[in-house]
Amino acid sequence: MIRLLCLVLFFAASSPLVVSADTSLPPLKGQVLFLGDSITHDGRYITFIETYLRENAKVGEPLPALVNLGLPSETLSGQSEPDHPFPRPDVHERLERALEKVKPDLVIACYGMNDGIYHPFSEKRFAAYQDGVKRLIEKVKASGAKLVLMSPPPFDPQPMREAGKLLPESDDANYSWKTIYEDYDEKVIARYAKWIMDQAGRDGVSGTVDLHTPLNDYVAVQRGKEPTFAMSKDGVHVDEVGHRILAEVMLDAWSLVDLDEAFEVNPATYTLVAKRQKVLHDAWLSHVGHKRPGTKAGLPLGEAQAQAAAIDQQLQAQ
């Protein structure tokens, strides 16, 4: 059912956002593993979700462990544009290790933005993306965990158009994350997102969440008020407002928010949760291992968990 969601967080009030809830999603309990690219690596939407869960948990109710293994530049199709400074990491290189080490009850995966490699639509690239998703489904199912697929969020061409970094479709164009196909969202990412949503009900998929439509709708509403509005400098990496909306959409999908009432997030709680998420995220990335160069190593997992436990005490003392 389409409903109106207006979520107010501590730093900004949102405009009304139309989304739909899927009450069939498995609960956010136990070990919850987030997989994705640089948007998940940034992780602010996960911090918003954890903050909300902490502030609304019932007395004595255990909190889920939200483990963020998002990795910048990653795909699940094993593809890279020619001008990328290194081969893009493929989640399948580390997926089995991640499942073995985290032992998740639930996996939430969000891929697609990098899988089109910023080129015009290609059936070959799309097939590689579909195959990567299917292999993800099979491996998560074999691990015993449940899987929720999130569609890729949209690419906003406006910032790159203003910077002169969009290219029209051409056989000679040198497309990359720095010079992007001008219709990348409409003709590539939107198609990938629709296909992800069509996986609902597939064996091994416990649910899907549409991130693409509500973020595009939000930008359209804001741009109607302010033509230069944008949530991203490069069309890909959304700012804090964008992460708030990602969290908002997910919380709605899990029916964890009262759609008739706004809720607030305590800024002190959010700051501590962000610190906790950061130290654990870096440690888990190093603990599982990956092949992306230039990624700062995290603390040994045991040390990171000790720091997280100390932050937990500060959160409980609030």
Side-chain angles (χ1 to χ4, degrees):
M1 181 176 67
I2 302 298
R3 296 174 292 183
L4 186 66
L5 175 59
C6 183
L7 180 61
V8 179
L9 295 173
F10 67 86
F11 62 89
S14 71
S15 295
L17 183 65
V18 178
V19 294
S20 60
D22 180 357
T23 56
S24 66
L25 294 177
L28 292 170
K29 293 184 178 180
Q31 293 281 108
V32 180
L33 171 60
F34 287 82
L35 293 171
D37 51 34
S38 54
I39 297 169
T40 298
H41 172 76
D42 181 300
R44 280 176 285 181
Y45 75 84
I46 300 171
T47 297
F48 284 130
I49 291 170
E50 180 176 336
T51 304
Y52 174 80
L53 294 176
R54 283 179 174 273
E55 294 188 340
N56 291 274
K58 297 177 182 178
V59 176
E61 180 181 33
L63 289 166
L66 306 186
V67 179
N68 179 3
L69 274 178
L71 184 66
S73 311
E74 191 164 70
T75 75
L76 47 63
S77 58
Q79 302 177 101
S80 298
E81 61 271 42
D83 272 4
H84 201 267
F86 50 82
R88 288 184 177 276
D90 183 344
V91 69
H92 291 286
E93 184 278 325
R94 65 188 181 117
L95 179 56
E96 286 155 334
R97 297 195 305 275
L99 294 170
E100 179 183 356
K101 292 176 181 291
V102 178
K103 295 180 173 55
D105 299 285
L106 173 64
V107 175
I108 301 173
C110 182
Y111 289 95
M113 183 65 76
N114 294 331
D115 290 274
I117 62 172
Y118 303 98
H119 281 56
F121 180 79
S122 156
E123 290 288 355
K124 182 178 180 180
R125 281 189 289 272
F126 190 33
Y129 176 65
Q130 292 171 314
D131 177 68
V133 173
K134 291 172 184 176
R135 287 187 288 136
L136 173 72
I137 294 169
E138 292 168 0
K139 291 175 183 179
V140 173
K141 180 182 176 182
S143 77
K146 296 185 180 300
L147 174 66
V148 171
L149 296 174
M150 299 197 297
S151 78
F155 166 70
D156 181 3
Q158 179 163 297
M160 296 296 274
R161 181 179 294 113
E162 292 175 350
K165 295 182 178 180
L166 291 183
L167 297 177
E169 186 166 359
S170 168
D171 292 338
D172 300 325
N174 188 23
Y175 303 107
S176 73
W177 58 279
K178 297 183 291 184
T179 50
I180 299 173
Y181 169 49
E182 62 184 1
D183 293 324
Y184 190 60
D185 188 64
E186 181 181 354
K187 295 186 178 179
V188 182
I189 297 302
R191 188 163 180 175
Y192 285 27
K194 181 182 182 302
W195 186 81
I196 287 292
M197 297 307 295
D198 289 343
Q199 303 315 296
R202 184 188 183 100
D203 183 34
V205 179
S206 295
T208 58
V209 178
D210 181 6
L211 302 179
H212 188 268
T213 303
L215 264 72
N216 257 343
D217 289 348
Y218 181 86
V219 170
V221 169
Q222 297 304 314
R223 205 158 278 165
K225 303 173 185 177
E226 174 50 61
T228 61
F229 175 83
M231 295 189 298
S232 170
K233 293 181 179 180
D234 61 6
V236 174
H237 301 97
V238 294
D239 59 14
E240 195 147 286
V241 173
H243 278 271
R244 167 181 54 78
I245 296 172
L246 290 174
E248 182 176 337
V249 171
M250 294 182 66
L251 288 167
D252 172 72
W254 264 273
S255 297
L256 292 173
V257 295
D258 185 339
L259 298 180
D260 297 322
E261 297 180 6
F263 72 85
E264 297 179 356
V265 173
N266 186 310
T269 303
Y270 177 88
T271 298
L272 285 172
V273 171
K275 183 178 178 181
R276 182 183 184 280
Q277 274 287 334
K278 174 63 175 171
V279 70
L280 287 173
H281 169 56
D282 292 346
W284 271 113
L285 274 182
S286 295
H287 184 67
V288 170
H290 59 81
K291 291 188 174 181
R292 187 191 189 280
T295 303
K296 184 179 177 180
L299 294 172
L301 185 59
E303 290 184 29
Q305 289 172 332
Q307 288 193 15
I311 296 171
D312 280 334
Q313 293 183 346
Q314 295 178 60
L315 286 163
Q316 292 166 10
Q318 285 185 335

